[in-house]
Every structure is written in C-alpha cells, then in structure tokens.
Amino acid sequence: MYEGLAPCPDLGHMHKASGRACSYDRRSRRAPVGHRSKPPRARSGEPMRTTPRTRRVADQIQRDLAEILHTELKDPRVRMVTITGVEVSADLAHAKVYFSALADAATKQLPLAFALSKLKPVFEDPDIRKIGQNLKYEIVVLERNGIMLKGISFDTMIAAHMLDSSRLSYSLDELSRVYLGHLMISYKDVTGSGKTRIPFDEVEIEKAKTYSCEDSDVAMILYKKLEPELEKAGLIDVYGETELKFIGVLARIEMNGVRVDPVKLKELSEEFESGLKELEKEIYAEVG
C-alpha cells in the first residue's frame, strides 16, 4: 500500500522542521513536498477523510515507517527523524506522512552518545534480566547503536502469542486491555493530533516520562501474569528453551537479510507442488 513512499528531497537537512509533510500518490508515483491548503486528493478524487478503516491503516503505516527508519536504514541522520503522523485517503491510494527532523544541537535532550554510554553497561550485562515487549525490536535498535542486548529473560508478546495464536493484535496496548483491563496512554495523547501534533522529542518531560514508564510498568505486570499461564499450559520449557532463544536469531536475520538459493528454491517449489497434487488426488478419492 505504501511501498512506493518516497522521502522528501530535503529530508537530509537536519534543522528543526516540525510538522513538515510528504505527500505520495501511489498511482502517479509523485512525491510532492509541503502542506496543501486543501485536503489532498488521490487521482480517484478521494479526499483525506478519517474513518475507522483509514485510521487503522494510517496508524500501521506510521508504526512500520518508524520501525524501518530506526532498524533498516543505516544512515545516522535518520536517528533524528520522527514520523509524527500519517493521513490516508478513503480509497487508500494516497498517503500524507508528517515528520520532523531535529539536529542534536537544536534539542534540549541529553546527547545521544552520552546516553548510550551510560546505558550500554546495563544492557550488555547478562546478569541483569531484561523483561519487555517485542524485544527483537530493541535488539535491532540497540545494535544499530553499538549495544548488544544481553540477559533477555521474558518477552510478553511472544508469551501472549504462545497462549493464544488466534489474536489479531499482540500490541502492548491490546495485551494490556485484554489481560489487565487497562487502557494505556496513547501516543496521540502525548503528542496531539492534526495541526497541533508535535514530535515526541518536544513533549513535556513529565508527559513523556509518564507515557514511557507506563510501557515498562505494563510489560512487567504482564510478565507476572503470563509466566504462570505458560507454566499452567505446560509451555514454559518450550518458551524458555526455544521461542525465547529465537528472538536473537530473528533479529539477526532482520539485520543481515537471508541468502536464497534460487535453484534450490525452484526445486522445492516443484516438489511441494507435486506433493500437493498427490494429496489433492487422495482427498478426492477419499470423498468419492
């Protein structure tokens, strides 16, 4: 849906640029920059209307783009880019992505290098247990910044999936709602929305602290609830000996990619196709 999203030409300028937007029309393959006075329309004439469907798609695009920026792009400048919002046309053919680009010198935050130097000993100490949600993401982000996450003890997202693989979402918000009956503070609650939206690095420290600490608190509470459930279901050994260890493997695959032998892949494809045809014949024979 948004595979063709192109970066704004001036994305590389690391000056303060809150509220800047890139518009992209999937059909026209154009990526004009800047705000428009009227709601942008796709070629089909669909305006940027907000519906439950477009909100879900926009939120997913924002999450995916943020993850791509911080896990797949190696340019250190993108660390200072924040995806602050996304708007999607009703026919899902057109997306408008809001972002901010902020240089270290323009922020009031601690320098990144200083913060990483203080956190590195903690993250790399295997004797300090690490409990969290979707720790594969943390592994990738930290390793991009020269830190090897060690001592992984529990991942609430993986535990929840093992206990019930039929859920549509395993986000921290959803797990908090289902298991704890608690509605978490949303990203929009602290950054605002629409024209008043601001990047996270401009959120008041107290609000940012409350939002961030809630994530940690909820992950810990979920751990205390889900671990006994895994034991009760007889899954705790598989979880610890197999699933948990695969987090690092999957993170490595995500960072390095996968080498594919096209010849072998074709052979396997033909083998599977032949097997499926035989299985189909057996099924038809059984049912008459």
Side-chain angles (χ1 to χ4, degrees):
M1 182 177 304
Y2 52 94
E3 290 177 353
L5 273 173
C8 292
D10 56 351
L11 187 61
H13 298 300
M14 294 291 104
H15 57 277
K16 189 172 181 180
S18 299
R20 189 179 299 169
C22 287
S23 296
Y24 179 74
D25 188 328
R26 187 162 59 113
R27 295 190 180 96
S28 66
R29 298 290 181 185
R30 292 181 292 107
V33 180
H35 296 288
R36 302 185 181 188
S37 58
K38 296 181 180 180
R41 294 173 179 268
R43 283 193 174 183
S44 62
E46 291 284 355
M48 292 289 197
R49 288 199 299 265
T50 301
T51 66
R53 184 188 184 203
T54 59
R55 276 198 301 272
R56 288 195 301 272
V57 173
D59 288 345
Q60 187 62 52
I61 291 176
Q62 182 172 350
R63 287 193 294 270
D64 288 351
L65 285 179
E67 183 168 355
I68 289 170
L69 278 176
H70 293 288
T71 62
E72 296 186 17
L73 300 183
K74 297 182 179 180
D75 189 331
R77 295 174 300 171
V78 301
R79 295 174 186 168
M80 307 310 296
V81 176
T82 300
I83 304 299
T84 58
V86 176
E87 293 178 358
V88 179
S89 61
D91 63 355
L92 307 183
H94 187 97
K96 189 172 185 178
V97 179
Y98 293 86
F99 71 94
S100 67
L102 204 60
D104 274 337
T107 71
K108 295 180 180 179
Q109 311 298 326
L110 290 172
L112 179 62
F114 174 81
L116 291 175
S117 69
K118 298 299 181 182
L119 294 171
K120 185 180 176 72
V122 176
F123 284 131
E124 293 191 342
D125 188 340
D127 294 327
I128 299 177
R129 298 174 63 201
K130 313 303 189 303
I131 296 168
Q133 163 84 2
N134 190 17
L135 290 176
K136 177 173 69 70
Y137 176 80
E138 318 301 341
I139 291 174
V140 174
V141 171
L142 289 172
E143 189 156 335
R144 296 289 191 205
N145 287 278
I147 296 176
M148 300 292 291
L149 183 61
K150 299 177 182 178
I152 292 177
S153 176
F154 199 89
D155 190 312
T156 53
M157 187 174 74
I158 293 177
H161 186 271
M162 288 188 69
L163 290 168
D164 184 357
S165 60
S166 65
R167 296 191 184 282
L168 296 178
S169 172
Y170 294 89
S171 68
L172 191 60
D173 289 22
E174 179 65 10
L175 297 183
S176 174
R177 183 188 68 80
V178 171
Y179 286 101
L180 309 178
H182 172 69
L183 296 179
M184 298 182 66
I185 302 169
S186 72
Y187 190 78
K188 290 181 180 179
D189 288 337
V190 294
T191 61
S193 59
K195 293 182 179 180
T196 62
R197 183 190 294 118
I198 60 174
F200 192 78
D201 51 23
E202 292 183 13
V203 173
E204 295 176 13
I205 294 297
E206 281 300 312
K207 286 185 178 180
K209 178 197 71 175
T210 302
Y211 172 80
S212 301
C213 289
E214 183 187 48
D215 277 13
S216 298
D217 286 344
V218 168
M220 179 61 75
I221 296 170
L222 281 171
Y223 153 67
K224 293 178 179 179
K225 186 172 184 65
L226 296 179
E227 187 179 49
E229 292 291 328
L230 288 173
E231 292 176 347
K232 184 178 178 181
L235 297 171
I236 194 67
D237 289 338
V238 176
Y239 175 79
E241 296 173 8
T242 304
E243 298 294 335
L244 208 57
K245 292 180 179 179
F246 264 111
I247 296 176
V249 175
L250 293 174
R252 189 70 51 195
I253 291 173
E254 186 172 314
M255 288 185 285
N256 297 336
V258 179
R259 179 178 294 175
V260 176
D261 183 339
V263 176
K264 183 63 177 178
L265 187 62
K266 184 178 180 181
E267 291 176 358
L268 288 173
S269 178
E270 292 172 351
E271 180 182 334
F272 292 151
E273 184 178 0
S274 175
L276 285 173
K277 288 180 179 179
E278 290 299 321
L279 185 59
E280 185 179 11
K281 290 180 182 178
E282 292 177 12
I283 292 173
Y284 278 120
E286 286 290 332
V287 298

